[in-house]
Amino acid sequence: MTLAVCVRCGESKVGAFTPCARCGLDPAAHGTDKELQAKSLLLTDRYFPGGELEAMGRKLRAGELVAFDSAKLAELVEELKTQKLPIVSKAAPGCSIIGWALFGGAILFVVGVLWLWRARGA
């Protein structure tokens, strides 16, 4: 679980690309704005320990500007531009895995019920 801070309002959230519950900013919806996405990645506990990340969130909530490491920002922008696969999808990867597991379980359940029904009738 990646802790993050919203680039716009400083609200804490889980994941750099999740929409902000406070201001609604959705970095994933801004697919062409690689700088916004790079800043969203930078404002995570991956790049800043918890205390520093919280301090940056407080600054943003107070309306202050946050200084980004320009070299790291440029590096992330470039990585995002050359990304072959989408960095985010509308559904979390766990959702699709759980969905297919439930679907498979439902199929097995139906097959089991039909097998029992047939075995009792014989």
Side-chain angles (χ1 to χ4, degrees):
M1 171 167 72
T2 302
L3 297 176
V5 167
C6 176
V7 175
R8 182 187 292 160
C9 72
E11 184 72 16
S12 296
K13 59 183 187 166
V14 177
F17 293 100
T18 56
C20 177
R22 184 173 175 210
C23 72
L25 179 66
D26 184 359
H30 296 273
T32 59
D33 191 350
K34 300 303 180 195
E35 186 170 331
L36 172 69
Q37 292 179 345
K39 287 178 179 180
S40 295
L41 279 173
L42 280 174
L43 288 181
T44 64
D45 59 356
R46 179 178 176 189
Y47 294 96
F48 294 99
E52 287 182 59
L53 188 60
E54 290 171 13
M56 294 178 92
R58 281 192 297 274
K59 283 180 78 170
L60 286 166
R61 284 191 296 276
E64 297 176 35
L65 295 177
V66 172
F68 291 94
D69 178 344
S70 58
K72 192 64 183 170
L73 185 62
E75 180 184 327
L76 286 173
V77 166
E78 202 54 40
E79 283 181 30
L80 288 166
K81 284 181 182 176
T82 59
Q83 190 84 22
K84 298 289 188 243
L85 298 172
I87 196 158
V88 291
S89 67
K90 290 296 178 190
C95 293
S96 60
I97 293 168
I98 291 170
W100 281 109
L102 289 173
F103 178 75
I107 295 294
L108 288 174
F109 176 77
V110 169
V111 169
V113 168
L114 290 174
W115 181 77
L116 285 173
W117 179 67
R118 185 174 174 166
R120 286 184 138 228

